[in-house]
Amino acid sequence: MNIVLLGAPGAGKGTQAQKLTAEFGFAHISTGDLLRGAIAAGSPLGLEAKGYMDAGQLVPDELVLSLLKERLGADDVGRGFILDGYPRNTAQAVTLDAVLRDMGKSLDAALLVAVDPAVIVDRLSRRRACRECGFTGVDSMHACPRCGGEMYQRDDDKPATIEARLDTYATKTAPLIEYFKGQDKLAEVDGQGDPDEVYVHVKEVLGL
Ligand code: ADP
Ligand code: ZN
């Protein structure tokens, strides 16, 4: 199954993607993780991307697309994939359709994880990520439960950037909800509450 995830930053897209990956073996493709990987590697692309990310803006489409295309070429994608963080605007959605068509693939569903904006700010400020594997946790975790790596606060989870990211989401990304509705691919879950409960609903709406 090929799925894209929609929802505000902090809605819990990554957490649900991790669960789907663990149970069904889908490839979890997070463009945010790909970009942070490029930054950590010190590549020119990473350097260019970092300024946009720290400002809570979208990285230019062509930079993200080159990372995405490379990742979609990997072997594990054949079992299905979950795209987390892409598309983030209408142009990216149109590009994605074309890229997948060229690969003989298509999307089965766009899963919207819906969360009240008031909850989002609180979640993002408490969020921590693993430096080694990208696992997402909360501020009470000092070591990664998956790999033992160091948990840290992403630069863009600092309060000054959170507001800008929510604004970017509302203006650029939220219109994709209508886009996928128009393609009859939208599936929606309430992202509030316990991650395991949300996951039960995720599987229901995806027919898994
Ligand atoms: P979140 O969904 O919590 O905002 P991500 O890790 O998905 O976190 O993304 C972090 C940042 O990476 C975004 O704010 C943006 O700057 C950049 N980014 C990720 N994916 C894309 C994309 N598809 N297009 C443009 N920028 C992106
Ligand atoms: Zn880890």
Side-chain angles (χ1 to χ4, degrees):
M1 201 173 191
N2 300 328
I3 305 162
V4 299
L5 291 177
L6 292 176
K13 301 186 295 292
T15 304
Q16 296 305 319
Q18 282 164 3
K19 289 179 185 296
L20 286 166
T21 301
E23 183 167 354
F24 299 101
F26 302 139
H28 177 195
I29 304 179
S30 157
T31 46
D33 284 349
L34 293 174
L35 288 163
R36 282 183 289 277
I39 292 171
S43 74
L45 188 154
L47 262 154
E48 192 176 344
K50 187 168 178 12
Y52 294 98
M53 292 171 74
D54 288 350
Q57 293 168 1
L58 295 183
V59 172
D61 290 346
E62 62 279 9
L63 294 187
V64 184
L65 183 63
S66 71
L67 288 174
L68 177 70
K69 274 189 172 161
E70 193 188 327
R71 180 64 185 87
L72 280 172
D75 291 343
D76 62 345
V77 170
R79 271 169 287 155
F81 60 78
I82 304 164
L83 259 180
D84 173 6
Y86 196 100
R88 257 179 152 93
N89 59 33
T90 310
Q92 291 184 2
V94 172
T95 303
L96 179 64
D97 278 337
V99 168
L100 292 179
R101 202 176 316 119
D102 282 349
M103 297 174 71
K105 296 182 190 295
S106 63
L107 288 179
D108 297 299
L111 175 68
L112 171 64
V113 182
V115 172
D116 188 340
V119 177
I120 293 288
V121 178
D122 178 62
R123 279 197 191 176
L124 288 177
S125 48
R126 299 196 310 117
R127 179 160 81 174
R128 297 294 180 272
C130 173
R131 249 189 228 291
E132 304 304 320
C133 75
F135 179 88
T136 317
V138 292
D139 54 6
S140 56
M141 296 173 177
H142 297 293
C144 171
R146 191 160 73 185
C147 78
E150 184 202 347
M151 300 295 284
Y152 79 110
Q153 184 174 41
R154 281 167 36 183
D155 288 342
D156 63 348
D157 279 344
K158 311 240 154 99
T161 312
I162 290 176
E163 207 175 314
R165 286 164 64 207
L166 291 176
D167 197 58
T168 302
Y169 175 76
T171 55
K172 303 268 166 58
T173 310
L176 289 176
I177 296 168
E178 288 305 316
Y179 178 89
F180 285 112
K181 224 182 246 175
Q183 293 191 350
D184 215 18
K185 288 187 176 162
L186 192 75
E188 180 171 348
V189 289
D190 180 351
Q192 264 138 208
D194 180 77
D196 290 326
E197 277 167 39
V198 176
Y199 185 54
V200 170
H201 293 139
V202 164
K203 288 197 281 188
E204 256 167 38
V205 299
L206 292 177
L208 286 168

